[in-house]
Amino acid sequence: MAKFNQNFDNSDTLYAPEFEHDSCGVGFVARIDKVATRDIVADACSILSRMEHRGACGCEQNTGDGAGILIAMPVEFMKQVASDNNLDVGDSFFAVGNIFFSEDEPTTTFAKKTLEETTAKYGQRFVGWRKVPTDAKRAGIGATALRAEPDIQQAFIAPAEGIDQDEFERRLYVIRKVATRIVREKNEGATEEFYACTLSSRIMVYKGMLSTAQLPEYFTDLRDENFKSHLAMVHSRFSTNTLPAWSRAQPLRWMAHNGEINTLRGNRNWITARQGLMASESFGDDMKNVMPVIEEGCSDSGEFDNALEMLMMAGRDLPEVVMMSIPEAWRNHASMPENKRAFYEYHACLQEPWDGPASISFTDGNIIGAVLDRNGLRPSRYYVTNDNRVIMASEVGVLDIDPANVKSKGRLQPGKMFLVDFDNQRIIDDAELKDVIANRRPYNQWLTNQRLEFKDVPAHTPPEFLGDEERLAQMRAFGYSNETMDFMLLPLVKVKKDPIGSMGDDMALACLSDKPRLLYDYFKQLFAQVTNPPIDSIREEIVMSVECFIGPEGNLLETTEQQCNRLLLHTPILDFNEMAALKNLDHRGWTSRVIDITFEASAGEQGFHDAVNRIRTEAEQAIADGCALVILSDRGISKDRVPLSALLATSAVHHHLVEKQLRTQIGIVVESGEAREVHHHCLLTGFGADAIHPYLGLEAIIEHHTSSPDS
């Protein structure tokens, strides 16, 4: 048996530990000819052991943040295991699930019974259980990991007669989701009571709150000479967004991730909002039973894995799901083929990118691959050998390879995909792969037929600017100051960039201040205040864009022409002509409705609450009346009418519609005198606005420039 742990002697090298970067390590090794061997598992464990520096440990050195391995189903090994345990899995394919249970016996009994009953409910045959052999003493795992150690058991499930493997996988997904929901509802949402690492007939995951060296020592199966696979994906975890836990170790069910999902909150919230329209022939009436898509208690990687899994189970293949979820930088890529650009633009109508920095490996057992997000800020290198192996990892040197055996090598490029197709026994080039996927449907023609732009929308005359006295009164009412003009608005015109503040801001946090503060100030910490190095939007324009689509959305799980019947905005900040066009919109079935977000000052606090309820109801009614857009406007402000904060109004409408599962059926545009800083616009879009017309800020800038053209 190959060695799992190899000591690295750096006495004769330029290696310097102080230059190590602590971020998750990810890698895989596979045989292109799909021959299952013992060496693949052993090599994967060796790769993992050499990525110890990319993981982390807790308060004890022997309690790891997490390590794991994903392998193709070792069919012969599992058949023998089943036979040894008097389990009849039949002569066809079968599923094995590695499942974490609570150490509490009544809870585990309930969870196991739930899975058995759910399996029968969905027409599959539950075969039996096997306790996964582990050796915590041999692995030497720490006290913290031991305290959280689950009871790990394997569930064996056989398919119903006549069912194909793809449909079996889909049934297993439904079974797992339903059983998980039932168990967690019984135990008040506790994730540690029942967690299925995998439940599949194609792949299996062994993982835990372990260090890289502990993994093969802890799981006895991984050391068995008969435990073979044609692929193995490994991961060494460095916890950032969430605390370590046995269930949060990676690989997850279909992928492993190095980096962070920086758009996570928006991705998660929009997946939730889109659940109301989700429907799929693949699921039929079971669609409601697999909700919610995103499970509670996941890390950012886990939430992406959940979303990826739903899109795949609904009928798309894994490379297509990865391509639509982690797109290349396409908007400003002049030389990109039109069919591929159309694919990306079409899917921008359906969902937002899961943006990194991220390097992601993925597999469904039939293919294995990796992709780097469009910024390309995570390392990923690969080797292809003459003996039909492919090795990909966060860095080179994870596996000793004779240079004479290296057929080719390279690194992942930003936005590019590396894919091994086991059925055809070859590596598919990124350009070939994406050309095939992009040509499956006439995306370009669909966009031409359905996409709306402002040049298509009938123009209307915008309202006249406010008079000087009225403008000044409104600026005072919305809390503008001399500093707002001198340090926030005018620099946008004079130097054409958002002003950058220095460190050392000693202003009291809004929640601790004894001065009146705008609602926006209470959310400063939701955004990174600085990036290092600073983002240069000009130099990096190929990966940066503020274009977006607004308006009613369709069913995320379908791919139809009508899905791209949305309005393209080159920026979410609307000028006066664009706002006038939207207010008077009546084009190709698109109409809009203006909702006044002001209320009578004399109504006091009750008027405030009534206004919030009113705008929610009016937004819901606008959907019932077939409107494509609602415009939340505070232009009704006067000495007698007080505006709700545009941020509060936007959030109230957005979350109300999400709760009613109506949000994706209408676009929300905000017309407000309150918003003027970049931070304000970020919050408004973050809390539900699709587009913003900051009329007072724009008027102030234009009038200042008109009256002082040389300033």
Side-chain angles (χ1 to χ4, degrees), residues 2-21:
K3 288 178 63 179
F4 289 119
N5 301 310
Q6 302 182 32
N7 295 321
F8 180 59
D9 180 8
N10 62 304
S11 57
D12 297 322
T13 73
L14 295 177
Y15 170 78
E18 62 268 23
F19 290 111
E20 289 289 6
H21 297 283

Side-chain angles (χ1 to χ4, degrees), residues 435-638:
D435 187 61
V436 170
I437 294 174
N439 282 329
R440 286 176 179 168
R441 301 172 185 91
Y443 296 112
N444 210 349
Q445 186 61 47
W446 288 358
L447 288 163
T448 301
N449 295 344
Q450 298 292 338
R451 178 184 53 208
L452 281 172
E453 297 186 59
F454 270 114
K455 62 182 178 61
D456 306 318
V457 178
H460 284 268
T461 304
E464 293 184 1
F465 280 8
L466 301 171
D468 291 343
E469 290 187 8
E470 187 177 3
R471 184 182 311 108
L472 182 60
Q474 286 201 16
M475 291 175 73
R476 286 172 175 161
F478 283 117
Y480 284 63
S481 65
N482 290 334
E483 287 78 11
T484 302
M485 292 297 299
D486 294 340
F487 299 115
M488 292 295 174
L489 293 179
L490 295 183
L492 293 174
V493 177
K494 292 180 178 179
V495 295
K496 298 184 178 180
K497 67 177 184 180
D498 185 38
I500 298 175
S502 66
M503 298 289 286
D505 182 359
D506 60 357
M507 185 183 300
L509 295 174
C511 59
L512 300 177
S513 176
D514 57 2
K515 304 293 184 184
R517 301 288 290 273
L518 288 173
L519 185 59
Y520 304 84
D521 294 347
Y522 290 84
F523 299 91
K524 282 279 189 182
Q525 302 308 313
L526 285 182
F527 298 91
Q529 300 300 304
V530 66
T531 61
N532 188 13
I535 293 174
D536 187 332
S537 58
I538 297 176
R539 184 183 54 173
E540 300 177 40
E541 64 178 348
I542 194 169
V543 298
M544 301 190 71
S545 174
V546 290
E547 284 189 354
C548 57
F549 285 91
I550 70 169
E553 298 182 30
N555 173 12
L556 178 61
L557 305 184
E558 288 183 341
T559 308
T560 62
E561 179 176 340
Q562 197 62 28
Q563 296 274 60
C564 55
N565 182 223
R566 305 192 72 202
L567 175 63
L568 173 64
L569 304 182
H570 296 290
T571 168
I573 308 302
L574 304 176
D575 64 26
F576 292 96
N577 291 320
E578 291 168 337
M579 190 69 250
L582 292 188
K583 275 190 167 182
N584 297 279
L585 184 63
D586 188 4
H587 180 67
R588 281 172 47 180
W590 282 53
T591 59
S592 65
R593 178 166 299 171
V594 178
I595 297 178
D596 179 20
I597 61 171
T598 67
F599 62 96
E600 290 291 338
S602 59
E605 183 177 339
Q606 187 59 46
F608 172 92
H609 292 293
D610 291 344
V612 172
N613 292 328
R614 173 180 57 80
I615 64 174
R616 287 172 173 166
T617 302
E618 289 184 15
E620 191 175 343
Q621 185 60 47
I623 295 173
D625 294 341
C627 295
L629 301 173
V630 288
I631 299 168
L632 307 180
S633 177
D634 58 23
R635 271 193 178 269
I637 183 176
S638 68

Side-chain angles (χ1 to χ4, degrees), residues 338-472:
E338 280 304 312
N339 63 336
K340 187 161 68 168
R341 180 191 301 278
F343 173 92
Y344 286 128
E345 184 170 359
Y346 172 86
H347 286 92
C349 298
L350 271 64
Q351 68 167 12
E352 302 73 26
W354 292 72
D355 269 338
S359 172
I360 289 177
S361 298
F362 54 88
T363 184
D364 62 3
N366 295 322
I367 56 98
I368 193 167
V371 66
L372 203 58
D373 78 313
R374 56 185 167 177
N375 292 291
L377 299 178
R378 285 292 181 268
S380 296
R381 296 182 178 272
Y382 64 86
Y383 283 73
V384 180
T385 66
N386 291 316
D387 58 357
N388 258 338
R389 286 184 302 163
V390 58
I391 300 103
M392 196 289 297
S394 307
E395 53 255 288
V396 296
V398 293
L399 197 63
D400 293 330
I401 303 171
D402 184 350
N405 191 27
V406 176
K407 183 177 180 180
S408 64
K409 59 183 177 181
R411 66 181 179 88
L412 289 185
Q413 303 291 327
K416 304 299 183 183
M417 199 181 304
F418 177 78
L419 191 77
V420 182
D421 181 347
F422 296 115
D423 289 336
N424 294 302
Q425 300 186 14
R426 70 187 188 99
I427 296 172
I428 303 179
D429 177 70
D430 175 83
E432 177 191 351
L433 171 70
K434 291 179 178 175
D435 187 61
V436 170
I437 294 174
N439 282 329
R440 286 176 179 168
R441 301 172 185 91
Y443 296 112
N444 210 349
Q445 186 61 47
W446 288 358
L447 288 163
T448 301
N449 295 344
Q450 298 292 338
R451 178 184 53 208
L452 281 172
E453 297 186 59
F454 270 114
K455 62 182 178 61
D456 306 318
V457 178
H460 284 268
T461 304
E464 293 184 1
F465 280 8
L466 301 171
D468 291 343
E469 290 187 8
E470 187 177 3
R471 184 182 311 108
L472 182 60

Side-chain angles (χ1 to χ4, degrees), residues 99-112 150-151 179-180 182-196 247:
I99 301 178
F100 294 163
F101 290 104
S102 166
E103 288 293 327
D104 179 66
E105 188 173 341
T107 300
T108 296
T109 299
F110 172 77
K112 291 172 73 172
D151 176 14
T180 298
I182 292 172
V183 173
R184 292 185 179 178
E185 286 176 354
K186 169 78 171 178
N187 293 282
E188 299 180 346
T191 58
E192 66 273 13
E193 311 296 1
F194 178 88
Y195 175 83
S247 61

